[in-house]
Amino acid sequence: MPYSRVIGTGAYLPEEIRTNEQISQTVDTSDAWIYERTGIKSRRIAGADESAASMAEVAARQAIAAANIKPEAIDLIIVATGTPDRVYPSTGCLLQQRLGIKNSVAFDVQAACSGSIFAMSIADQYIKSGAAKTVLIVGTEICSRIVDWTDRGTCILFGDGAGAILLAASDSAGIMSTHIYSDGEYEDMLYCPNPQVATGDNKDEPGYISMRGNEVFKIAVNTLGRIVDETLAANNMDQSDIDWLVPHQANIRIIAATAKKLKMSMDQVVVTLENQGNTSSASVLIAFNEAVRDGRIQRGQVVLLEAFGAGFTWGSALIKY
Ligand code: UT7
């Protein structure tokens, strides 16, 4: 059975930087509070002419160039996003069109901040079964447009961006295992209504992120601790076998708790949130790309990716890069 090997990565961050100081001019907060409680100093904000699909295209083209393949080689495109340009067609189809790719299938995955891990899990099944040979995965989000900029509990956290990864069938190791879960029992703890179609409790709510932050925080820490244990056990591995942790970038304190659980020094953890905030489904792929491109993640090393998000959804991917 073939492995899904990483053959290219890419990312895109919009130009505009919004600092904690700027946010503290419009809501009751401060740079010191945000930095201490989250590890975030600034985030990127997409321009008026940018969209999930336009950002996805830049990240995807970078990954394609890094892999040195022709776009036509891609036979499956999976886009993870909670902020699609349109309800339909999927952002996957919009990206397929932008890349000029024919003879492939494209679709979106909606698993909030865990979306890219879910997409990697799906891609791995396609590749292992022989149903696809080359898969493009992109996580792309314009969180700034679904954030209530008067809510200090959420507007300090999120940012915009896109990350991409290309996987190809290979005899040598790539993805070693993926583990994905969801539990809809927690649907009210973190959600974003869709005002045009909402009914019941969400009927008159605007389309902004709503989160019970502190409760989400505690569940995220516990859940990520469990998934990390499960991933190691499934691969008969020990904490010391992991070279790099590439976590979802929600809060530095959540990331530090997972690193501690793995007995990893923060030097082995890829952290991007200080200048990017939480880019939801894009965050893990943006961080992975950064550490590949700056040479931290080397071929042959073992990398653990993990994420947690609305649903709740959560998951991990263990990769031999
Ligand atoms: O990516 C998807 C998953 N999402 C997450 O994992 C997010 C998880 N949650 C978090 O990152 C944190 O819970 C937050 C950063 C959102 C909040 O930090 P916290 O340490 O959990 O604070 P808290 O909600 O318990 O609030 C503590 C205090 C409260 O004041 P009182 O009641 O103690 O007087 C809040 O009203 O901090 C207050 N507060 C703020 N103060 C200044 C909440 N937000 C702010 C703020 N600036 N932005």
Side-chain angles (χ1 to χ4, degrees):
M1 211 160 36
Y3 288 103
S4 308
R5 185 171 165 82
V6 179
I7 59 164
T9 64
Y12 173 75
L13 292 167
E15 249 175 61
E16 185 189 333
I17 295 169
R18 190 163 300 171
T19 63
N20 291 348
E21 283 85 359
Q22 286 171 300
I23 293 179
S24 62
Q25 282 160 19
T26 52
V27 289
D28 182 15
T29 189
S30 65
D31 174 46
W33 192 95
I34 300 170
Y35 189 59
E36 191 190 311
R37 309 292 274 209
T38 69
I40 299 166
K41 284 233 157 248
S42 65
R43 67 287 296 144
R44 301 299 187 96
I45 306 293
D49 58 343
E50 292 185 301
S51 73
S54 76
M55 298 198 305
E57 181 184 356
V58 183
R61 286 195 186 278
Q62 259 187 32
I64 291 166
N68 199 19
I69 60 162
K70 292 206 158 61
E72 307 86 89
I74 295 167
D75 43 22
L76 171 61
I77 299 170
I78 310 177
V79 171
T81 185
T83 52
D85 293 27
R86 295 175 174 169
V87 173
Y88 48 77
S90 70
T91 308
C93 286
L94 302 182
L95 178 62
Q96 181 188 35
Q97 145 78 7
R98 282 170 173 267
L99 295 174
I101 300 175
K102 305 274 181 204
N103 303 319
S104 64
V105 62
F107 55 83
D108 288 2
V109 165
Q110 219 298 30
C113 297
S114 312
S116 292
I117 302 286
F118 275 53
M120 288 173 79
S121 185
I122 297 166
D124 192 37
Q125 314 308 319
Y126 266 82
I127 288 176
K128 279 203 268 194
S129 71
K133 285 202 160 41
T134 308
V135 184
L136 171 65
I137 296 167
V138 184
T140 181
E141 299 282 4
I142 304 207
C143 297
S144 62
R145 292 187 196 151
I146 56 165
V147 154
D148 176 357
W149 288 98
T150 66
D151 173 17
R152 69 177 182 173
T154 51
C155 75
I156 58 164
L157 297 172
F158 293 95
D160 301 338
I165 193 166
L166 261 168
L167 299 173
S170 164
D171 292 336
S172 57
I175 292 180
M176 299 166 78
S177 69
T178 61
H179 308 261
I180 58 171
Y181 294 98
S182 34
D183 186 348
E185 190 187 329
Y186 298 96
E187 53 153 338
D188 280 342
M189 231 179 250
L190 171 54
Y191 67 91
C192 181
N194 185 356
Q196 274 174 278
V197 292
T199 54
D201 292 346
N202 299 132
K203 192 171 178 306
D204 299 317
E205 270 189 87
Y208 293 135
I209 299 171
S210 168
M211 179 170 72
R212 306 216 296 265
N214 192 263
E215 290 164 82
V216 175
F217 182 98
K218 287 177 190 153
I219 297 172
V221 168
N222 288 329
T223 307
L224 289 169
R226 280 202 311 276
I227 193 102
V228 157
D229 280 344
E230 179 188 329
T231 312
L232 290 174
N235 291 279
N236 290 317
M237 279 193 174
D238 197 56
Q239 290 133 338
S240 61
D241 295 316
I242 310 289
D243 295 301
W244 292 101
L245 174 65
V246 182
H248 170 48
Q249 311 282 318
N251 186 311
I252 192 68
R253 293 182 292 139
I254 298 176
I255 295 173
T258 310
K260 193 171 167 201
K261 167 106 196 160
L262 282 165
K263 298 192 175 68
M264 286 177 99
S265 137
M266 285 304 278
D267 292 342
Q268 290 171 275
V269 183
V270 182
V271 179
T272 58
L273 91 171
E274 185 167 328
N275 300 312
Q276 295 173 18
N278 178 351
T279 56
S280 191
S281 72
S283 91
V284 166
L285 295 184
I286 295 173
F288 186 76
N289 172 68
E290 185 174 303
V292 163
R293 283 178 184 261
D294 69 18
R296 272 177 290 173
I297 295 178
Q298 295 283 322
R299 282 287 175 200
Q301 289 187 322
V302 176
V303 186
L304 176 58
L305 291 80
E306 45 86 338
F308 180 89
F312 290 136
T313 56
W314 64 98
S316 65
L318 192 71
I319 299 179
K320 189 162 191 184
Y321 181 65

